[in-house]
Amino acid sequence: MDSLRKWFSFSKGERVAIITILALILLLILACVFRPSRKSLTDESLHNLDSLLALRQAAIELQQQQQAEKPQEVAELHPFPFNPNTLTEEEWLQMGLTDRQVRNIMNYKAKGGKFYSKNDLGKLYTISEEEFAQLEPFIVLPEVARGASGKTSSKKQEKPSFEEKAKPEKKAIPIVDLNTVDSTTLVELPQIGPYTAVRIIEFREKLGGFIDKEQLRDVKGMDDARFAAIQPYINLAAVEIRKVDVNRADFKTLVHHPYLNYEQVKRIVNQREKRGMIKNWAQLEELIKEEGEVNPLLEQYVKY
């Protein structure tokens, strides 16, 4: 018994040393236990970072795709019959082309370039397909033969007269009903491009229907020359126009009408709310004439 007590008896310094060693062993065990958890956390963080980067790249690619698919706005041109081989810089600009486009065309001609067919103009990179579609019906090209060297071998062509320029191409032009025609058919009329056709349809919807050909002059971009060119090809069949109720229609509906301005609509709404309903055209005309010109055709587009 004394021998066992001798073996398990430690001095104060030995006990401190033993406790210190046991503490270090415990710390090493704990470090080994928790080390895989930290590694897993790191792996998870890296995985999340990769996911975020992938999402960001996908968003960038989607934005680029949407921008690429977004249709470019095409300025509406104002073409007239022309020969691209003889047209001056000022006349190109007059049709609505940009300075950059005109410079490229003039540089092409200065280097000996010629237009032998209508499609030759469309092959220039500076002219878009939409712009060429507007210009193509107005291109007037005398027959020009190519020599062996590719240069013109025909006699000098005289500049076409005004009557020759104004002469329409020999193709069937449809007769259309202004209140039922669609924009696809409208572009078959002389001097009517896609943008003008859409504006005519939009104006008809806001108006409620045409009752007079002259109303086309109120369409944005419709000048005298364009109106004169299409007038022989438009008819107005009998149709019941859509009228707007000045006593019940809301502010947005009234101000949407082409023959009413913002201030006139304010007067109408104020009259309804504070003084009572509008009874007839005479009362309406008297009410709104102080806020702007009153189109006499408006009478046929309102009801009470």
Side-chain angles (χ1 to χ4, degrees), residues 75-105:
E76 183 179 2
L77 305 180
H78 307 286
F80 46 80
F82 71 97
N83 181 348
N85 289 310
T86 60
L87 206 64
T88 65
E89 183 174 349
E90 290 75 15
E91 289 172 324
W92 284 110
L93 291 171
Q94 184 181 350
M95 281 198 296
L97 295 182
T98 65
D99 291 337
R100 180 184 61 81
Q101 290 175 307
V102 174
R103 282 198 305 271
N104 290 335
I105 294 172

Side-chain angles (χ1 to χ4, degrees), residues 52-251:
L52 290 173
L53 290 175
L55 288 173
R56 182 176 181 273
Q57 182 63 29
I60 293 174
E61 292 175 356
L62 178 60
Q63 183 179 8
Q64 292 174 344
Q65 180 181 357
Q66 290 174 342
Q67 291 176 347
E69 293 176 352
K70 184 178 180 180
Q72 299 293 325
E73 292 187 4
V74 179
E76 183 179 2
L77 305 180
H78 307 286
F80 46 80
F82 71 97
N83 181 348
N85 289 310
T86 60
L87 206 64
T88 65
E89 183 174 349
E90 290 75 15
E91 289 172 324
W92 284 110
L93 291 171
Q94 184 181 350
M95 281 198 296
L97 295 182
T98 65
D99 291 337
R100 180 184 61 81
Q101 290 175 307
V102 174
R103 282 198 305 271
N104 290 335
I105 294 172
M106 301 309 289
N107 288 339
Y108 169 77
K109 293 169 63 177
K111 294 177 180 178
K114 277 208 173 281
F115 302 98
Y116 297 95
S117 68
K118 293 184 178 183
N119 289 333
D120 287 344
L121 181 62
K123 293 177 182 177
L124 294 181
Y125 73 90
T126 193
I127 302 292
S128 68
E129 293 182 5
E130 293 80 3
E131 291 168 334
F132 177 70
Q134 296 182 55
L135 295 174
E136 189 268 341
F138 297 89
I139 300 175
V140 179
L141 277 175
E143 291 186 4
V144 179
R146 294 177 185 265
S149 63
K151 297 182 179 179
T152 304
S153 60
S154 65
K155 294 182 180 179
K156 184 178 180 181
Q157 299 291 331
E158 294 182 359
K159 188 174 182 179
S161 63
F162 175 81
E163 289 78 13
E164 291 173 331
K165 287 184 177 181
K167 185 178 180 180
E169 291 188 58
K170 293 181 180 180
K171 63 179 182 179
I173 299 177
I175 305 298
V176 302
D177 180 358
L178 200 53
N179 278 318
T180 58
V181 66
D182 56 27
S183 59
T184 304
T185 307
L186 277 173
V187 297
E188 298 181 30
L189 302 184
Q191 300 193 33
I192 298 297
Y195 282 87
T196 303
V198 170
R199 287 172 182 160
I200 291 174
I201 300 301
E202 289 178 346
F203 184 82
R204 183 180 69 191
E205 292 304 310
K206 292 179 180 179
L207 193 62
F210 289 99
I211 57 178
D212 192 322
K213 292 182 182 181
E214 292 291 324
Q215 289 175 287
L216 278 174
R217 296 182 182 275
D218 296 327
V219 176
K220 183 179 180 181
M222 183 65 66
D223 53 26
D224 291 340
R226 188 168 297 181
F227 178 76
I230 67 173
Q231 189 176 16
Y233 306 104
I234 55 177
N235 284 330
L236 276 175
V239 64
E240 184 177 354
I241 63 174
R242 188 177 68 255
K243 296 188 177 185
V244 58
D245 191 329
V246 294
N247 288 309
R248 293 177 176 81
D250 58 21
F251 191 97

Side-chain angles (χ1 to χ4, degrees), residues 249-257 265 269:
D250 58 21
F251 191 97
K252 183 179 180 180
T253 301
L254 289 171
V255 83
H256 194 62
H257 198 281
V265 174
V269 173

